[in-house]
Amino acid sequence: MTASTFRIGGELDVGRLGFGAMRLPTEPGPAREGSLAVARRAVELGVTLIDTAYLYGWGANEELLAEALHPYPEGLLITTKVGLTRSESDPGWRFDGRPAILRDQVERALLRLRVERIELLQLHRIDPETPLAEQLGALRELQDEGKIGHIGLSEVTVDRLEQARAIVDVASVQNRYNLLDRAHDPVLAACEAAGIAFLPWHPVAMGEAGTNAEIAAVAAESDATPSQIALAWLLDRSPVVVPIPGTASMRHLEENVAAARIRLDPAQRARLDRLADPATGADREAATR
């Protein structure tokens, strides 16, 4: 039977279906009010992990979550990410893992989230221009000061994960991964072997899941939506997987949370497993090293 919880870093118990706050509008007005309502509803529905980042509105998303949920209920984990700064060029951000920048971003996140400690702080991207030991060393210093509980990474290869683990304890990895995009299968395998939480972003493959005939067929058999099947497959894929689907829609939020109750039978799982070539993930992983 699929486990319903996972203990991140051996300490932080969370439900295995989280919520990604990236899509929540933060501008004043009705859309923001809707965002506040969606965040609160996520917690009402039992979500215990909410993912945000400095990049999401350059801190505005963190402020939104604090407005919606502070004082935070016991057991709620809000994780944020640092390591990117604004840029005038496309895509509007750039890597910046210099220790002073990381420290400043963490200090500001503490203020925006209205907490004294960020229980799970993730490095949004590894800065290729700053030595990895300096980036992780800065986060380890903040950890030693009690401002960070656990350290996570985002968009890393197996090699980078191994290098990072030689410097700090890595509690989580957040990579793009879903039923139709399994490029990071090797990273997931490494996380499973080490007991590291794997938080797939883009977990439902957006509109692709709805146009795939096999996913649609399994959805019809299960009285579910294609998005729910994509999430159910992820939950069944590995006990370390904690998907973080994001939405600004109350209906989609409730639909996503309900996916945790879906159970795929062995035949359905086999059909879905065949949708991606197992070799593809390994080939693409090797190409990014």
Side-chain angles (χ1 to χ4, degrees), residues 202-217:
H202 200 54
V204 297
M206 303 299 277
E208 300 168 63
T211 60
N212 183 282
E214 195 67 81
I215 298 174

Side-chain angles (χ1 to χ4, degrees), residues 56 96 98 244 260 274 280:
Y56 308 159
D96 198 336
R98 290 174 294 170
I244 48 171
R274 288 193 292 268
T280 303

Side-chain angles (χ1 to χ4, degrees), residues 126-188:
I126 293 175
D127 179 0
E129 302 299 323
T130 302
L132 180 62
E134 291 185 13
Q135 298 176 65
L136 296 180
L139 298 185
R140 185 175 54 207
E141 288 178 3
L142 288 160
Q143 190 178 46
D144 291 341
E145 294 168 16
K147 296 178 179 179
I148 292 174
H150 295 274
I151 296 170
L153 304 172
S154 182
E155 285 304 292
V156 292
T157 62
V158 170
D159 283 351
R160 276 303 206 183
L161 176 57
E162 292 174 350
Q163 293 166 17
R165 292 185 67 209
I167 302 169
V168 297
D169 289 331
V170 177
S172 68
V173 168
Q174 187 172 140
N175 280 16
R176 175 177 169 135
Y177 187 83
N178 58 58
L179 179 54
L180 299 176
D181 180 358
R182 306 182 203 174
H184 289 297
D185 262 334
V187 180
L188 172 54

Side-chain angles (χ1 to χ4, degrees), residues 22-278:
M22 181 181 71
R23 297 182 181 280
L24 296 179
T26 58
E27 299 80 9
R32 182 185 179 88
E33 294 304 312
S35 294
L36 295 171
V38 166
R40 290 165 183 153
R41 181 60 175 154
V43 174
E44 289 174 359
L45 291 171
V47 170
T48 54
L49 185 152
I50 296 179
D51 175 81
T52 183
Y54 173 56
L55 175 67
Y56 308 159
W58 305 113
N61 196 267
E62 294 169 332
E63 292 174 339
L64 176 83
L65 292 177
E67 180 181 341
L69 302 171
H70 190 274
Y72 304 113
E74 184 177 355
L76 177 63
L77 173 64
I78 295 184
T79 174
T80 192
K81 299 183 287 293
V82 298
L84 301 178
T85 55
R86 295 177 192 249
S87 172
E88 296 302 321
S89 60
D90 185 67
W93 55 263
R94 61 182 174 84
F95 303 104
D96 198 336
R98 290 174 294 170
I101 296 298
L102 296 180
R103 175 174 284 275
D104 180 67
Q105 290 186 0
V106 169
E107 296 281 7
R108 292 177 184 273
L110 289 167
L111 293 174
R112 285 190 291 263
L113 290 170
R114 308 180 200 174
V115 296
E116 295 182 356
R117 173 183 168 105
I118 297 169
E119 293 296 342
L120 177 60
L121 189 285
Q122 300 174 97
L123 186 60
H124 209 154
R125 294 290 188 276
I126 293 175
D127 179 0
E129 302 299 323
T130 302
L132 180 62
E134 291 185 13
Q135 298 176 65
L136 296 180
L139 298 185
R140 185 175 54 207
E141 288 178 3
L142 288 160
Q143 190 178 46
D144 291 341
E145 294 168 16
K147 296 178 179 179
I148 292 174
H150 295 274
I151 296 170
L153 304 172
S154 182
E155 285 304 292
V156 292
T157 62
V158 170
D159 283 351
R160 276 303 206 183
L161 176 57
E162 292 174 350
Q163 293 166 17
R165 292 185 67 209
I167 302 169
V168 297
D169 289 331
V170 177
S172 68
V173 168
Q174 187 172 140
N175 280 16
R176 175 177 169 135
Y177 187 83
N178 58 58
L179 179 54
L180 299 176
D181 180 358
R182 306 182 203 174
H184 289 297
D185 262 334
V187 180
L188 172 54
C191 287
E192 185 171 348
I196 295 170
F198 186 85
L199 281 58
W201 63 271
H202 200 54
V204 297
M206 303 299 277
E208 300 168 63
T211 60
N212 183 282
E214 195 67 81
I215 298 174
V218 173
E221 294 166 7
S222 305
D223 191 24
T225 68
S227 292
Q228 288 178 318
I229 294 302
L231 290 170
W233 179 86
L234 281 171
L235 292 170
D236 197 47
R237 174 68 179 80
S238 168
V240 305
V241 170
V242 182
I244 48 171
T247 180
S249 162
M250 194 74 76
R251 180 175 65 84
H252 287 156
L253 168 67
E254 294 176 351
E255 176 184 308
N256 290 342
V257 171
R261 298 193 293 269
I262 296 172
R263 296 292 178 264
L264 302 172
D265 65 38
Q268 291 173 326
R269 172 62 190 269
R271 288 157 60 192
L272 296 172
D273 285 348
R274 288 193 292 268
L275 293 178
D277 180 357

